[in-house]
Every structure is written in C-alpha cells, then in structure tokens.
Amino acid sequence: TKARGATRKPLPGEPPPFAAKTRDTGKTPLMLACAGNHLNAMHYLLGVGASTRSGDKYGNTIVHYAALN
C-alpha cells in the first residue's frame, strides 16, 4: 500500500493534482517553482501532470516565469 499523502499520476480525464491556484495571485505550484528556479520541483510537478497552460491573474504562464529566471 502507498504511504499516506503519496502522489500518483492522474487517471485519464482526471484533473491534475497540482492545478489549484493560489487565491490572491492565481499562481500554480508549477509557476512558483519556475519563479524560484527550483528545477527538481519543476520536474516533479511536470511528471505528475501539472498544467502547463494555466495563466495567473495577469495572463502569465510558466514560460513567462521561467524566462524571468
């Protein structure tokens, strides 16, 4: 059995677990990882299906955050 809190890849048609945005800025965990230049976190989030198309409240995507760092 898996440990409590363990993550898995989403099933087909299931939303990714890391698509939730922060309340005030609309940034996803992947955006925060890109902004902080946390490569291991970025690889992990992409590996478990984090959305690459989401935008923050200003329309910036992960590409914008990665380009700034």
Side-chain angles (χ1 to χ4, degrees):
T1 64
K2 288 189 174 185
R4 179 182 256 180
T7 59
R8 61 171 174 74
K9 287 192 174 186
L11 299 171
E14 182 180 27
F18 298 106
K21 296 181 179 183
T22 58
R23 291 182 192 174
D24 54 346
T25 62
K27 294 179 184 174
T28 64
L30 183 56
M31 290 177 188
L32 297 173
C34 289
N37 203 24
H38 300 289
L39 295 177
N40 289 337
M42 291 173 5
H43 286 284
Y44 173 77
L45 291 168
L46 289 169
V48 295
S51 174
T52 58
R53 297 178 185 250
S54 296
D56 65 11
K57 70 178 184 177
Y58 301 108
N60 297 317
T61 65
I62 61 166
V63 174
H64 296 102
Y65 287 97
L68 293 173
N69 293 300

